[in-house]
Amino acid sequence: MVGGTGDFGLALARRLVDAGEDVVIGSRDAERAREKAAEVGAAGAANEDAVRGVGLVVLATKADAALATAASLADAIAETPVLSVASELTFTKQGVLPTADAQSIAERLAGLLHAPVSAGLHSLAASSLADGPADGDAFVCGDDPDAKELALALAGKVVTGRALDAGPLASARALEGMTAVIVNLNRRYKGHAGVRVTGLP
């Protein structure tokens, strides 16, 4: 997990460890990675080492570092599937806005990496994962079926509801925008909003 020393990365790592998964938390500083990983029962390593020999790379950096971090790790990641969880947001006095870019961060990552990219977990926050699986469903989108299945399997371990296939990678534009909606709701109602889809079999 690249960027796993942040609040969201650590909360996600804790839930995955609790679910019995082997998790390696990466950071530019290997010692910091090991210290933070120890807090949640995971392993820690420098980013380049954390992405090697794993089944799925979770890119959990902040949005403003996601593209540069991915580009620097492209060779180390090689063809290992990547799950992007970042959302590019703009904070204004009127509220939180989604990116003005025509493409999602996940789509831009796909243009930088040799690996298939999925996007997901945008309806979750560190606070919603703090005490156990997040209440609600999780959404994943992507163009590569095998990579998407890996991401869906991971997502299903960290929510009380279901991990749902939300379509092709282009749908990441909507998923990342959903983060802005959820942040606005949480700010207005002082809660920890989640999303649950009804009417599906």
Side-chain angles (χ1 to χ4, degrees), residues 111-164:
L112 293 174
L113 298 172
H114 315 296
V117 176
S118 299
L121 309 187
H122 298 88
S123 60
L124 311 184
S127 57
S128 65
L129 292 166
D131 300 319
D135 188 28
D137 298 326
F139 307 96
V140 173
C141 59
D143 295 332
D144 184 286
D146 294 334
K148 189 191 290 187
E149 282 301 318
L150 287 172
L152 285 165
L154 180 150
K157 296 177 185 296
V158 299
V159 292
T160 61
R162 295 171 293 177
L164 298 171

Side-chain angles (χ1 to χ4, degrees), residues 59 62-72 74 82 84-90 97-119 122 141 143 169-174 176-177:
L59 188 60
K62 291 184 178 180
D64 58 3
L67 297 177
T69 301
S72 71
V82 173
S84 170
V85 305
S87 297
E88 191 171 57
L89 305 176
T90 300
L97 309 177
T99 182
D101 198 289
Q103 288 191 313
S104 65
I105 287 180
E107 290 173 290
R108 284 175 270 165
L109 286 171
L112 293 174
L113 298 172
H114 315 296
V117 176
S118 299
H122 298 88
C141 59
D143 295 332
L169 190 62
S171 295
R173 301 168 203 173
E176 293 180 18

